[in-house]
Amino acid sequence: MNEKELWNLLDEVMDPEIPVLSLVDLGVVREAKLANGNPEITITPTYSGCPAMKVMEEDIEAVLQGAGFDEYRIKTVLSPAWTTDWITEKGRKALQEYGIAPPEQATSDKNVLLGHPKEVTCPHCKSRQTKMLSQFGSTPCKALYQCNDCKEPFDYFKCI
Amino acid sequence: MEQKQALFNYLLRLGDNAAILGHRLSEWCGHGPELEEDIAIINTALDLLGHARSLYTYAGEVEGKGRDEDDIAYLRIEREYRNALICELPNGHYGDTIARQFLFDQFNYLLFSELVNSTDETVAAIAAKAIKEIRYHLRRSTEWTLRLGDGTEESHNRVQQSFHDVWMYTGDLFVQDESDKAVIEAGIGPDLTLLYPVWQDKVKEVLKEATLEMPENGWMQSGSKQGRHTEHFGYILSELQYMQRAYPGCEW
């Protein structure tokens, strides 16, 4: 196995809370190397208290063991701090299709300037007429929004 | 004072602030005033526990006696905890919790904004991660201060009383001792006396907008740096440490 294949293997490991998003697309896997044929993986938490880190590590171990690796190292680093900019285009699309609004990137909307919540597009009907219900959603990385048009509540992946 | 000991003390204080306030906030789980708020406050607790874990782990490494995050979190006695007194105060009603949180968040935000530039790489890395979350906490507790202060007559009066009640514990946040001095000299942490006027201005600004009166400085309760706690602290430990005391070394 080469390093590209190792990355492809890791791309099969899904986020335990958002099962359509791989850890690679989420930007949690920072490095994947082979040292004398043994994988050395570096991961970083999305949030300091993210309770899914342990599960992520175990899921990576399971995939590595499944591929026949007996010896490997998984290291957790805090720096540089994870940012939503690391979510890949493929990951953003997967979030959208799953019903979670991906983090808004360019901040041209004036709400942010005035200290109001960001304009977020509804992942269901694509309306921009949405409102924030709570700064925190079902996990620390998400906020809770509602669409004023289709009335559906939805999770928004917070931009950090 | 030896540099290593000073850094260890410093990390314990930062870690204890996060762990004890996080524990307090977690007591709201299932009791929040509304569902969204219940979720929000527990997420804040979770962030703080995350900060505590990183800080305790590093404190254990600096100490070099083989203690891990759990040993430090669960196996100390009352006087060995060094959290600021404000962090251990009871939740009270929601206004009390918000007043405590806003004043602490404002302090924590200023502190961690400086720790990001720490000469200690690990402290800087933990702070760079934490500051993104603390910014969110501050935004939320600021909004609630405005909402309750500039809300109904009832909410205004009650949260005004909350700010008066908690005020005498704010001085303790800025007390410095030998460990702080060593840490400041080494460029690891900021001089809190420089942060104090900024903290005061920011608090004043928000309270004014919230139509609240800024409490006057009177008697300030201190003692956290020597491990002298309020009468509320023992109850926190008896709950927090129950499992480890009843079943030493238990894991799940």
Side-chain angles (χ1 to χ4, degrees):
Chain A
M1 184 177 283
N2 61 33
E3 281 179 10
K4 190 170 180 300
E5 285 161 338
L6 180 60
W7 276 101
N8 288 339
L9 184 67
L10 292 171
D11 200 30
E12 291 171 18
V13 186
M14 296 295 153
D15 180 288
E17 293 284 347
I18 314 165
V20 293
L21 188 63
S22 83
L23 298 188
V24 172
D25 285 330
L26 181 59
V28 156
V29 179
R30 302 314 304 152
E31 263 186 356
K33 290 190 297 197
L34 289 166
N36 300 325
N38 298 327
E40 285 188 6
I41 319 287
T42 305
I43 56 176
T44 194
T46 52
Y47 278 73
S48 305
C50 181
M53 284 310 281
K54 184 107 181 76
V55 181
M56 290 181 183
E57 213 178 301
E58 285 167 4
D59 289 350
I60 292 174
E61 283 182 18
V63 165
L64 293 176
Q65 285 164 2
F69 290 108
D70 297 322
E71 281 191 41
Y72 46 80
R73 264 182 55 196
I74 302 172
K75 192 171 77 172
T76 302
V77 296
L78 291 180
S79 175
W82 180 83
T83 153
T84 32
D85 293 345
W86 291 347
I87 300 179
T88 62
E89 201 44 53
K90 175 163 138 287
R92 294 175 59 84
K93 214 162 161 276
L95 280 174
Q96 174 92 33
E97 282 166 8
Y98 191 58
I100 297 174
E104 298 278 337
Q105 283 169 319
T107 50
S108 59
D109 90 64
K110 64 177 186 296
N111 279 337
V112 177
L113 212 61
L114 300 172
H116 298 305
K118 275 177 194 228
E119 269 182 23
V120 172
T121 306
C122 170
H124 306 297
C125 74
K126 310 291 176 282
S127 165
R128 293 288 284 179
Q129 303 300 316
T130 59
K131 64 177 178 199
M132 188 176 76
L133 294 181
S134 174
Q135 281 173 353
F136 291 92
S138 53
T139 64
C141 52
K142 287 176 272 169
L144 192 60
Y145 272 69
Q146 188 180 20
C147 177
N148 292 338
D149 285 325
C150 74
K151 309 291 183 209
E152 285 291 326
F154 63 90
D155 269 336
Y156 164 59
F157 212 105
K158 290 187 307 214
C159 198
I160 64 164
Chain B
M1 176 177 282
E2 198 198 340
Q3 179 74 28
K4 199 174 92 171
Q5 184 62 40
L7 177 58
F8 175 70
N9 291 346
Y10 194 71
L11 292 168
L12 268 195
R13 289 166 186 177
L14 294 176
D16 287 344
N17 281 350
I20 298 302
L21 185 59
H23 181 77
R24 270 294 186 222
L25 291 179
S26 77
E27 292 171 3
W28 276 108
C29 190
H31 302 277
E34 55 184 18
L35 181 61
E36 287 78 9
E37 203 39 39
D38 197 289
I39 294 170
I41 204 144
I42 300 315
N43 271 304
T44 308
L46 187 61
D47 286 341
L48 289 170
L49 290 182
H51 306 167
R53 290 187 62 180
S54 300
L55 290 159
Y56 284 162
T57 299
Y58 185 41
E61 283 167 27
V62 169
E63 187 190 37
K65 290 182 185 166
R67 288 205 281 179
D68 67 9
E69 50 176 310
D70 287 336
D71 297 329
I72 294 178
Y74 295 117
L75 299 176
R76 283 178 294 154
I77 56 169
E78 183 174 350
R79 285 277 174 126
E80 292 169 330
Y81 282 81
R82 297 299 158 91
N83 57 283
L85 299 177
I86 196 171
C87 299
E88 69 197 43
L89 298 178
N91 286 336
H93 59 69
Y94 213 64
D96 293 332
T97 292
I98 292 299
R100 180 187 69 193
Q101 193 65 28
F102 168 66
L103 295 172
F104 179 78
D105 284 344
Q106 189 65 71
F107 165 80
N108 216 26
Y109 177 72
L110 294 173
L111 175 58
F112 275 75
S113 300
E114 295 294 328
L115 291 177
V116 166
N117 303 317
S118 175
T119 52
D120 183 298
E121 273 180 28
T122 309
V123 171
I126 295 170
K129 184 87 205 147
I131 191 70
K132 293 183 176 197
E133 295 151 14
I134 296 169
R135 190 178 293 131
Y136 235 90
H137 302 167
L138 176 61
R139 197 184 302 163
R140 194 180 135 275
S141 57
T142 300
E143 279 175 14
W144 270 101
T145 300
L146 297 175
R147 197 161 152 184
L148 293 175
D150 197 12
T152 63
E153 195 186 335
E154 171 83 7
S155 72
H156 172 92
N157 291 341
R158 291 183 74 177
V159 82
Q160 179 69 71
Q161 190 57 48
S162 304
F163 275 97
H164 281 303
D165 291 345
V166 74
W167 200 255
M168 71 165 175
Y169 297 99
T170 56
D172 179 61
L173 286 167
F174 297 93
V175 172
Q176 302 195 115
D177 67 0
E178 291 301 310
S179 296
D180 291 289
K181 279 182 196 137
V183 162
I184 295 165
E185 261 169 43
I188 294 170
D191 185 342
L192 298 178
T193 54
L194 301 179
L195 298 188
Y196 182 60
V198 188
W199 178 85
Q200 255 187 325
D201 286 349
K202 295 282 179 195
V203 169
K204 200 172 186 173
E205 197 183 304
V206 172
L207 290 186
K208 189 168 176 241
E209 201 187 331
T211 73
L212 293 167
E213 176 187 298
M214 177 113 161
E216 276 177 27
N217 285 347
W219 164 255
M220 289 289 181
Q221 186 68 44
S222 63
S224 72
K225 299 245 150 135
Q226 292 81 42
R228 290 200 310 272
H229 294 273
T230 65
E231 65 271 32
H232 311 292
F233 192 70
Y235 297 95
I236 296 182
L237 282 198
S238 62
E239 187 175 321
L240 188 69
Q241 300 188 334
Y242 176 79
M243 290 299 283
Q244 282 302 323
R245 298 294 183 193
Y247 305 96
C250 82
E251 280 182 42
W252 68 86

